[in-house]
Amino acid sequence: MATILITGCDTGLGVEFARQYAADGHRVLATCLDPQAAHETRAIAGDIEVSKLDVTDHRAIEALAERLDGEPVDIVLNNAGIGRPHPPFGQTDYANWRRILETNLIGPMKLAECFVEHVAASELKQMVFVSSRMGSIALNNSGGSYGYRSSKAGLNMVVKTLAVDLAHRQICVLALHPGWAATEPGGRVPVSESVAGMRGVIHRAGRHHTGNFVTYSDQPLPW
């Protein structure tokens, strides 16, 4: 069975990713901001290890990579992310924007750098980033959400660039849109359906899919 490292397992998609992978018998390395408060994650049965990790803490990422030194990690699943609030133009909260960029963009890049050897040593060799169609420049017809949009657009560029730089190591790098998942008010896609769909995309992905940006239902999205 595969080993999957998942960030952001405190709530929502992260919890469901951990639950579904563990239920299928995989080894799950679930990371949370606060493991003691992540009751749903800690209650998951199976081969699961819950660890503390803030993806904005680069030293903590390095320490986790060092602790797992020599252990192959088949899938690094960058799920941790923040977005709200979305203040309108003229009311930008620049401190929060920096926090969003640190969490959604810079943290995932650091994770990729620290775990590239673990992934390269594995059988599946996949790095997966939960992005959003709100990071698509071509699909932005409604404006607003400057911080969140820019973080996901930047993440998409990181994914595309990693796909090029890591191709010679046979690592498949993907950006996935989970749909408007029911992790927030108004969300239309059940969390279990979103995660099952993304897992299907990951499972079907081969080396020639690297650099793709697709929805949880495997539909391509424009950059």
Side-chain angles (χ1 to χ4, degrees):
M1 288 296 178
T3 296
I4 300 99
L5 171 65
I6 309 168
T7 64
C9 293
D10 300 84
T11 59
L13 297 175
V15 175
E16 188 62 22
F17 269 123
R19 180 182 293 119
Q20 290 192 20
Y21 274 118
D24 281 351
H26 298 290
R27 180 191 180 203
V28 176
L29 306 174
T31 72
C32 306
L33 281 172
D34 185 357
Q36 293 306 310
H39 302 296
E40 284 187 88
T41 306
R42 290 169 54 212
I44 294 172
D47 187 359
I48 181 169
E49 176 184 330
V50 183
S51 302
K52 179 179 176 60
L53 182 69
D54 180 344
V55 297
T56 69
D57 183 344
H58 292 191
R59 185 65 194 98
I61 295 175
E62 292 168 358
L64 180 60
E66 290 166 6
R67 181 165 67 81
L68 296 171
D69 185 44
E71 296 189 38
V73 176
D74 292 276
I75 304 171
V76 168
L77 211 168
N78 291 269
N79 167 73
I82 56 174
R84 294 183 180 277
H86 301 298
F89 178 76
Q91 299 178 31
T92 302
D93 182 339
Y94 287 95
N96 191 54
W97 191 347
R98 292 187 183 93
R99 179 170 167 261
I100 291 172
L101 292 174
E102 287 285 351
T103 303
N104 296 2
L105 173 59
I106 298 172
M109 178 64 180
K110 179 64 175 178
L111 201 77
E113 289 189 323
C114 286
F115 280 91
V116 65
E117 297 301 331
H118 302 72
V119 174
S122 74
E123 181 178 346
L124 297 183
K125 296 182 173 62
Q126 292 181 310
M127 288 188 179
V128 180
F129 299 77
V130 176
S131 184
S132 170
R133 75 188 303 276
M134 289 183 72
S136 168
I137 293 174
L139 294 177
N140 184 3
N141 299 311
S142 58
S145 303
Y146 290 88
Y148 187 71
R149 285 188 188 278
S150 63
S151 72
K152 293 301 186 179
L155 180 65
N156 288 348
M157 180 58 82
V158 164
V159 167
K160 191 67 174 179
T161 306
L162 284 173
V164 174
D165 290 345
L166 301 181
H168 73 286
R169 306 196 72 175
Q170 308 300 310
I171 293 174
C172 179
V173 188
L174 302 171
L176 303 183
H177 168 54
W180 191 7
T183 55
E184 58 181 32
R188 298 169 184 170
V189 182
V191 172
S192 59
E193 180 181 332
S194 172
V195 168
M198 287 189 285
R199 287 186 61 221
V201 174
I202 295 166
H203 178 71
R204 292 187 296 272
R207 305 289 185 263
H208 59 290
H209 292 104
T210 194
N212 282 2
F213 178 28
V214 298
T215 69
Y216 72 100
S217 56
D218 212 4
Q219 297 302 304
L221 290 170
W223 300 110

